[in-house]
Amino acid sequence: MTSSSLVFSFEQELATMDLDRARDFMLVKSEIVNRLGSEYRANTFYFDQTDLNIEVRRAEYLYSQQKLYNPYQYPTISQLFYKKKDLYNYTFEKIREHEYWVNYTRRFIQEYGTSEYDSYPNFGKVKFSDRFQEFLEVELLEILKWKEIDAIVHQDPNPYLLHGPLHPHKVTGVDELHNLGVSGEGTNVIVWDCGFVGNCHVNFSIKDRYIKRPARGEKYTADDLHGTHVAGTIAADKRSGTHKGVAYGAKVLPVEFEGVDELIKRIKGSNAKVISASFHYLVNRLKMRDFDRLLEELEKNDRILVMAAGNDSKFVTDDLNPSFLTYWNKGIWMATHGAWILSKNQSLARRMLLVGSLKEDGQTISQFSNLPGKLSDNFVFGPGENVIATVAMDEFDSMSGTSMATPHVSGILALMSKYYPQLNAVELKDCLIQSCDQFWGDNNHGIEFKSEIFGQGRVNAVRAFKVADELVKKKLAGQYITTVALQEYI
C-alpha cells in the first residue's frame, strides 16, 4: 500500500459498496452484541446500538451521495490530527478495533453457530447465516489494511497531519490588522442569538432583560453562554489578551431570538450595519411573511445579515422532498433549507451571507459543517473549531460550530464598516467575498474544487480591506485619502 492510497477515495468506496451487504453486516454486529453482551473484554471494547446506528447512517449516506457528496462528513486519516501521537493512537486503535471484532465473531460462531440464521430476514440475497463468515473475512482484511497504514504513517507522518492548530485571527488575517492598530472601538454590532449572560470583557450597549447577570444571582443557561461566546468572538475587549475579539472594543447590541419583531426594533434603533446570527431559525408556513418585513428593514436601513450555516453535515438545499408537508407545517431550518426560502425571495439573498466552519488548520472544512450547496454565491468559511471566547462573568471557554465561525466573519465586516463608511452593507459583503482565499488549494486532501463544497472560500481580512480601499478610491474619484492603518499594504 502506497501513501497515495490514503488519499480520499469516495468514488472507489461508492463503486465497491454493496449497501445490502453493509446493512447485513450491521445486523451481524447487532446479533453479536445482543447475544454475547456489549463488552467482550472488560474496559477495552465497547460497542452498542448507538454505534450501530452511526455506521448505518454512514453506509446509507455514502451510497446515496453518488452525484453530490460531502467528502468532509466522514474524514480520511489526513483530515483528523495535528499531533503525531494522536495519529499513531488512531491507527493503533483501528487495528485493535478490527482485531476485537474478529475475536468476537469467532467466539460467537463457536458458541452459537449460524445455522439458525438460514431463514433469518435480511437485506441481501445472500443467506444471513453466510454473512457471519463473510463479515469475519472482511474484518481480517481490515486488520491487514490498517497495519499497512500504521507502518506508512510511522515511517513519514507529516503528509497525514493537519497544519496547526492556528489561532483563528491567524487563519483570517485579523492578527495583521490588530498589529496595525485596527480595532472595533466606536462601532456597533447586532448579535441575534438564543441568549446572553454578562461578561466584563463584552460591552453590551443595552443593559436589558436579554442579559443574565450571575453577579446578581440571576440564573443562566447554556443558550445564554452561547450568545455571549459569539458576542465575545466579535467584540471582547483588549484586556482579553489572546482571546480579544475580531472587532475588539465594539459595542454589542444583543437580540435574544423571539421572532423577527425584536430584531426589527434593534435595526431601527441603531446604526449597526452588521447583524450576526448564530442559531437555527425555524420558520413555518405562517411566518414566511416575516421575511418580507425583515427584508424591508434590511433594505431600508442598509443592513447585512450574517448567519451560521448549521451543523448538520449537509448541503444547503432547495429540495424539501420527500417530507415537504412536514417541513412546511412544523418549520424549515433556515440554515439547511435556506436555499428554498431564499429562492422565493432573491432580494433577501442579496442581504444575507452564510458561514461554514473550518478546522484549526484553516484549510479543512469541519466534519459537522453544512456546505454551500445551492447557495455557493453567498457562502464563505471561517474558523469554527475550539474557538475560545467569553462566557459568564470574566471567564472564557472553548466552543465549536458554525455558530463560532460566523462571528469571525461578522467581526471583519464590522471593522470594514468602521474604516470604510463610504460603502454600503452590500458593497462591504461583496468586497469580503471577492477577497476570499481559495483554501482548497492549500490542503493535501486531494479534493477537487466544487463551488457547492467550498463556496467563495475562506475570509481574508487584509485582502478584504484592500478590495474595500480600492472600491472607495473608485467611488471618490481621486478624492480618497488612504486609510492610515493599511498604508503598509497598499
Side-chain angles (χ1 to χ4, degrees):
M1 178 177 290
T2 63
S3 60
S4 62
S5 62
L6 300 187
V7 176
F8 179 79
S9 56
F10 185 92
E11 289 84 356
Q12 275 186 306
E13 190 160 1
L14 279 176
T16 59
M17 173 170 281
D18 179 342
L19 185 59
D20 286 339
R21 188 179 78 156
R23 287 170 169 165
D24 281 350
F25 281 177
M26 302 306 149
L27 294 178
V28 167
K29 287 184 175 182
S30 182
E31 283 299 305
I32 293 173
V33 167
N34 289 334
R35 295 190 70 173
L36 282 182
S38 60
E39 292 191 38
Y40 174 45
R41 297 183 182 178
N43 302 319
T44 57
F45 182 60
Y46 182 76
F47 196 90
D48 59 19
Q49 196 63 41
T50 300
D51 299 304
L52 287 174
N53 291 338
I54 291 172
E55 290 202 16
V56 169
R57 286 197 297 271
R58 179 181 189 276
E60 292 182 345
Y61 174 86
L62 289 172
Y63 194 81
S64 65
Q65 298 293 305
Q66 296 186 42
K67 293 183 179 179
L68 185 69
Y69 62 89
N70 176 356
Y72 291 98
Q73 183 173 3
Y74 299 103
T76 61
I77 194 171
S78 61
Q79 298 171 12
L80 292 172
F81 305 110
Y82 299 95
K83 298 178 180 179
K84 286 189 286 187
K85 72 172 185 178
D86 294 330
L87 175 63
Y88 297 157
N89 286 339
Y90 179 78
T91 56
F92 173 77
E93 289 297 331
K94 294 297 287 187
I95 294 169
R96 190 167 68 165
E97 175 187 337
H98 291 294
E99 286 177 340
Y100 284 153
W101 274 120
V102 166
N103 292 332
Y104 218 13
T105 306
R106 283 174 172 164
R107 179 181 169 189
F108 181 91
I109 293 173
Q110 181 179 357
E111 290 193 16
Y112 301 105
T114 60
S115 59
E116 66 180 280
Y117 294 101
D118 284 347
S119 58
Y120 195 91
N122 63 311
F123 294 95
K125 295 180 180 179
V126 176
K127 285 195 303 184
F128 187 57
S129 57
D130 293 337
R131 290 298 197 193
F132 287 84
Q133 185 62 37
E134 191 176 350
F135 173 69
L136 177 60
E137 292 169 1
V138 167
E139 289 300 302
L140 287 168
L141 289 175
E142 285 293 311
I143 293 173
L144 294 177
K145 181 186 80 173
W146 280 102
K147 283 184 175 180
E148 290 185 63
I149 293 174
D150 183 65
I152 289 169
V153 298
H154 273 80
Q155 184 177 5
D156 184 11
N158 292 324
Y160 311 106
L161 293 174
L162 295 172
H163 179 57
L166 302 175
H167 191 287
H169 296 342
K170 184 74 173 176
V171 172
T172 61
V174 164
D175 60 338
E176 296 185 48
L177 296 185
H178 287 175
N179 290 339
L180 295 171
V182 174
S183 77
E185 293 178 4
T187 192
N188 299 323
V189 182
I190 294 174
V191 176
W192 195 21
D193 214 288
C194 45
F196 302 89
V197 61
N199 185 291
C200 64
H201 295 286
V202 179
N203 183 5
F204 288 112
S205 61
I206 301 174
K207 315 293 184 184
D208 61 12
R209 63 189 176 88
Y210 291 122
I211 311 298
K212 315 301 187 301
R213 305 288 178 183
R216 301 175 187 171
E218 296 177 3
K219 295 182 179 180
Y220 59 88
T221 67
D223 284 346
D224 300 319
L225 296 176
H226 184 279
T228 296
H229 193 281
V230 169
T233 302
I234 295 173
D237 61 25
K238 197 171 184 178
R239 295 178 300 126
S240 303
T242 58
H243 308 317
K244 65 177 177 287
V246 176
Y248 66 86
K251 290 184 178 179
V252 174
L253 285 69
V255 184
E256 186 171 332
F257 177 69
E258 295 177 351
V260 169
D261 290 339
E262 293 300 316
L263 176 60
I264 289 176
K265 288 180 184 178
R266 286 286 192 261
I267 291 173
K268 290 180 175 179
S270 76
N271 64 352
K273 283 186 178 179
V274 181
I275 303 164
S276 189
S278 284
F279 63 96
H280 261 332
Y281 183 13
L282 192 63
V283 186
N284 65 29
R285 59 189 175 84
L286 301 177
K287 295 182 179 179
M288 289 297 290
R289 287 287 299 168
D290 286 352
F291 284 97
D292 294 330
R293 296 192 297 113
L294 176 58
L295 173 61
E296 182 180 346
E297 295 302 326
L298 293 174
E299 293 280 7
K300 185 190 304 181
N301 296 279
D302 186 32
R303 305 292 192 259
I304 193 77
L305 178 62
V306 186
M307 181 169 277
N311 306 321
D312 306 309
S313 302
K314 295 179 180 178
F315 288 89
V316 178
T317 178
D318 59 3
D319 180 13
L320 297 184
N321 292 324
S323 305
F324 175 80
L325 289 178
T326 300
Y327 283 118
W328 189 232
N329 290 316
K330 292 186 177 180
I332 300 167
W333 287 120
M334 182 58 196
T336 308
H337 296 288
W340 187 86
I341 295 174
L342 297 181
S343 69
K344 309 305 175 188
N345 198 330
Q346 293 295 327
S347 298
L348 182 59
R350 196 170 74 99
R351 288 279 171 181
M352 178 178 283
L353 185 62
L354 290 180
V355 183
S357 172
L358 296 175
K359 286 180 174 288
E360 293 167 274
D361 66 340
Q363 302 173 355
T364 306
I365 297 173
S366 300
Q367 180 179 357
F368 54 76
S369 180
N370 281 350
L371 299 183
K374 296 294 182 69
L375 280 185
S376 58
D377 290 342
N378 291 286
F379 200 112
V380 298
F381 285 89
E385 290 200 24
N386 300 315
V387 175
I388 299 176
T390 49
V391 282
M393 306 288 281
D394 60 351
E395 297 177 352
F396 299 84
D397 202 357
S398 173
M399 295 187 187
S400 299
T402 56
S403 288
M404 284 61 252
T406 299
H408 287 287
V409 177
S410 306
I412 294 172
L413 284 168
L415 290 175
M416 294 171 68
S417 72
K418 171 186 174 180
Y419 287 94
Y420 299 102
Q422 306 93 333
L423 303 181
N424 63 44
V426 174
E427 288 172 331
L428 293 173
K429 169 192 164 185
D430 290 342
C431 288
L432 185 71
I433 286 176
Q434 292 170 27
S435 61
C436 281
D437 292 327
Q438 299 181 355
F439 67 92
W440 50 88
D442 298 338
N443 61 47
N444 63 349
H445 305 318
I447 299 170
E448 179 185 357
F449 169 76
K450 289 186 177 182
S451 60
E452 61 265 31
I453 295 176
F454 297 104
Q456 299 303 304
R458 177 186 61 220
V459 291
N460 183 318
V462 173
R463 289 180 61 187
F465 265 59
K466 287 183 180 181
V467 173
D469 195 87
E470 290 299 320
L471 180 57
V472 169
K473 285 181 179 179
K474 291 178 182 178
K475 292 185 72 171
L476 297 183
Q479 300 176 17
Y480 177 75
I481 300 175
T482 301
T483 303
V484 174
L486 285 180
Q487 286 179 349
E488 292 186 24
Y489 288 97
I490 300 170

